[in-house]
């Protein structure tokens, strides 16, 4: 495993980002664990409910006798701050062990409108046949933290209107800092081997959590890393905006615009996620993950994460890994012919990457 050596610029950028996260926090509370129960009817904010993922079903696995009997499940809540959204639902799957030992751990993060239970196929394979402790959470305003099919959408509009929350990416990153606080204290977790990955919105969460918190030691964002500022500058923002269009329509009306344009997009990002399209954008934050192993997985034809917006982040990140003498720790794969979609190839590449760096 590469040793994390924080330089002054990266440390300063992390400090600035933490200041932004703390600027809209309710009062902090002691981290505590509240017992929970399995979710019988997982809540999705999309209709019809998703039922199957070819990509997740393709996850590499080994046949282990009696794996179902040996699989153990934990459901609980972490208190990350005051208020209802400060209760973080957590799902952990692991194999029963005859002797206590610290094991590598992977945190999985879901995409927009889904929930932690959607990721269960990945958690089961990762823990039952590959020996990891597998963890998933509900991101802000999703899963057990949602009350209606429009909860997340309403939270985004409220953030634009009131400027008191950051439901797009940043608030969930705060939860991931608190999650790793908890994981590093577990007797069965190896605190030096905690990986993080996610799909789409979850990929963005993984990217920013790894940027701000170096305890995430192996990082695999899937269809999440993108250049927000580049997209505005090059008029490639439409697909990303359309994925959460309600907030931009609201902002456009508030700004007396007849249609959404790049000025609206810039103002929304500045309001709901300050710095997302400027000092905390990919060209500045992705390189700070070096020298930790980082695999970026995208579709070559993904309109939400256009490849043009990754040229500068990729070159700067490669330079950071070259300076750290560990270019083998960085890889970007853009799968040809693929849009905004997690594929079996991406799942296999992610699995191999974690095995390579967390099982040493």
């Amino acid at each position: 495993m590469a040793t994390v050596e924080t330089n002054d610029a990266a440390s300063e950028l992390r400090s600035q980002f933490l200041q932004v996260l703390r600027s809209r926090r309710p009062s902090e509370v002691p981290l505590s664990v509240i017992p929970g129960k399995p979710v019988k009817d997982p809540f999705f904010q999309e209709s019809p409910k998703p039922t199957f993922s070819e990509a997740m079903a393709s996850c590499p696995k080994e046949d282990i006798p009696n794996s179902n009997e040996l699989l153990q499940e934990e459901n609980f809540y972490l208190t990350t701050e005051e208020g209802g959204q400060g209760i973080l639902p957590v799902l952990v799957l692991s194999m029963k062990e005859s002797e206590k030992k610290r094991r590598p751990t992977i945190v999985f993060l879901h995409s927009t409108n889904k929930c932690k239970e959607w990721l269960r196929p990945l958690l089961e394979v990762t823990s039952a046949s590959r020996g990891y402790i597998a963890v998933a959470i509900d991101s802000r305003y999703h899963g057990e933290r949602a009350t209606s099919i429009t909860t997340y959408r309403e939270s985004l509009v409220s953030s634009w209107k009131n400027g008191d929350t950051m439901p797009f990416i940043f608030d969930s990153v705060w939860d991931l800092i608190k999650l790793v606080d908890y994981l590093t204290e577990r007797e069965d977790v190896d605190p030096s081997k905690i990986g993080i990955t996610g799909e789409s919105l979850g990929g963005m969460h993984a990217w920013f959590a790894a940027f701000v918190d170096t305890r995430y030691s192996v990082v695999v964002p899937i269809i999440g890393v993108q250049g927000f500022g580049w997209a505005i500058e090059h008029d490639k923002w439409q697909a990303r905006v359309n994925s959460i269009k309600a907030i931009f329509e609201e902002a456009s009306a508030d700004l007396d615009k007849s249609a959404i344009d790049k000025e609206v997009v810039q103002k929304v990002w500045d309001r709901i996620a300050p710095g997302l399209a400027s000092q905390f954008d990919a060209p500045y934050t992705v390189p700070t993950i070096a020298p930790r192993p980082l695999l970026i997985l995208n579709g070559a034809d993904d309109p939400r994460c256009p490849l043009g917006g990754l040229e500068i982040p990729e070159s700067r990140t490669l330079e950071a890994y070259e300076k750290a003498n560990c270019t083998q720790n960085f890889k970007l794969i853009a799968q040809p012919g693929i849009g905004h979609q997690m594929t079996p190839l991406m799942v296999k590449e992610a699995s191999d990457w974690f095995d390579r760096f967390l099982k040493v």
Side-chain angles (χ1 to χ4, degrees):
M1 300 290 291
T3 301
V4 176
E5 297 180 1
T6 56
N7 59 53
D8 290 344
S11 296
E12 176 60 25
L13 196 61
R14 291 187 182 99
S15 176
Q16 292 172 10
F17 186 66
L18 281 170
Q19 288 177 19
V20 171
L21 293 188
R22 291 194 170 103
S23 70
R24 300 186 191 178
R25 302 258 71 77
S27 299
E28 288 193 47
V29 296
L31 187 67
S32 61
V33 181
I34 303 169
K37 296 180 180 180
V39 176
K40 294 181 179 179
D41 186 19
F43 188 72
F44 297 90
Q45 293 181 67
E46 55 189 64
S47 183
K49 292 183 179 180
T51 57
F52 176 76
S53 165
E54 178 188 1
M56 288 197 292
S58 72
C59 187
K61 58 185 175 183
E62 299 176 11
D63 290 328
I64 301 204
N66 303 319
S67 61
N68 288 339
E69 290 81 4
L70 295 173
L71 194 65
Q72 59 186 5
E73 175 177 342
E74 301 170 60
N75 291 272
F76 56 88
Y77 306 92
L78 296 178
T79 56
T80 65
E81 62 189 26
E82 284 189 350
Q85 290 296 319
I87 304 299
L88 173 64
V90 184
L91 169 62
V92 178
L93 295 184
S94 61
M95 292 290 279
K96 297 174 184 176
E97 298 282 354
S98 56
E99 60 177 286
K100 286 284 186 181
K101 62 179 181 180
R102 294 187 179 272
R103 284 174 279 174
T105 300
I106 302 176
V107 175
F108 294 86
L109 303 165
H110 63 77
S111 56
T112 301
N113 296 331
K114 293 185 172 65
C115 59
K116 63 187 182 301
E117 286 75 24
W118 171 248
L119 298 168
R120 190 178 182 96
L122 282 179
L123 303 187
E124 289 181 349
V125 170
T126 301
S127 56
S129 74
R130 295 173 52 223
Y132 295 96
I133 295 173
V135 182
I137 66 167
D138 286 329
S139 65
R140 294 281 175 126
Y141 306 96
H142 285 76
E144 293 186 78
R145 305 167 99 174
T147 56
S148 76
I149 200 167
T150 59
T151 294
Y152 181 52
R153 185 170 69 215
E154 290 167 359
S155 76
L156 294 170
V157 172
S158 175
S159 178
W160 162 256
K161 293 286 192 183
N162 302 311
D164 56 352
T165 58
M166 295 179 285
F168 187 67
I169 306 177
F170 288 7
D171 283 344
S172 288
V173 172
W174 178 261
D175 292 335
L176 289 166
I177 295 171
K178 296 299 183 178
L179 176 67
V180 80
D181 284 345
Y182 163 79
L183 291 174
T184 54
E185 294 299 318
R186 280 182 63 124
E187 294 181 354
D188 56 351
V189 169
D190 183 337
S192 70
K193 294 182 179 181
I194 301 176
I196 189 167
T197 186
E199 174 191 5
S200 192
L201 178 63
M204 294 183 246
H205 291 159
W207 152 25
F208 275 91
F211 148 57
V212 76
D213 201 319
T214 60
R215 292 174 295 179
Y216 288 110
S217 58
V218 181
V219 188
V220 186
I222 301 174
I223 58 171
V225 178
Q226 61 209 269
F228 287 91
W230 181 94
I232 294 171
E233 183 180 348
H234 293 83
D235 201 33
K236 299 288 187 181
W237 46 264
Q238 291 83 356
R240 169 57 56 205
V241 164
N242 286 339
S243 70
I244 49 172
K245 195 171 184 179
I247 183 176
F248 293 94
E249 291 176 331
E250 194 79 23
S252 186
D254 290 346
L255 296 169
D256 293 324
K257 296 272 190 175
S258 59
I260 301 168
D261 60 18
K262 63 170 57 180
E263 180 186 359
V264 172
V265 176
Q266 182 72 62
K267 287 184 179 296
V268 168
W269 293 145
D270 289 345
R271 177 74 162 170
I272 73 169
L276 179 65
S278 52
Q279 71 262 39
F280 304 130
D281 203 354
Y284 310 103
T285 54
V286 175
T288 68
I289 296 173
R292 290 166 287 157
L294 168 64
L295 172 64
I296 297 173
L297 293 163
N298 278 31
D301 299 329
D302 186 347
R304 297 189 193 179
C305 305
L307 278 186
L310 291 184
E311 290 178 3
I312 293 176
E314 181 183 17
S315 64
R316 290 184 181 179
T317 301
L318 182 57
E319 181 181 348
Y321 281 87
E322 287 172 344
K323 287 182 179 179
N325 296 312
C326 59
T327 54
Q328 72 279 3
N329 284 11
F330 173 61
K331 191 174 184 180
L332 186 153
I333 298 175
Q335 187 175 350
I338 298 298
H340 194 70
Q341 170 190 356
M342 184 171 72
T343 66
L345 173 67
M346 294 177 188
V347 171
K348 184 181 187 307
E349 291 285 351
S351 300
D352 291 347
W353 192 262
F354 284 125
D355 286 351
R356 176 181 172 188
F357 290 105
L358 288 179
K359 288 190 172 181
V360 294

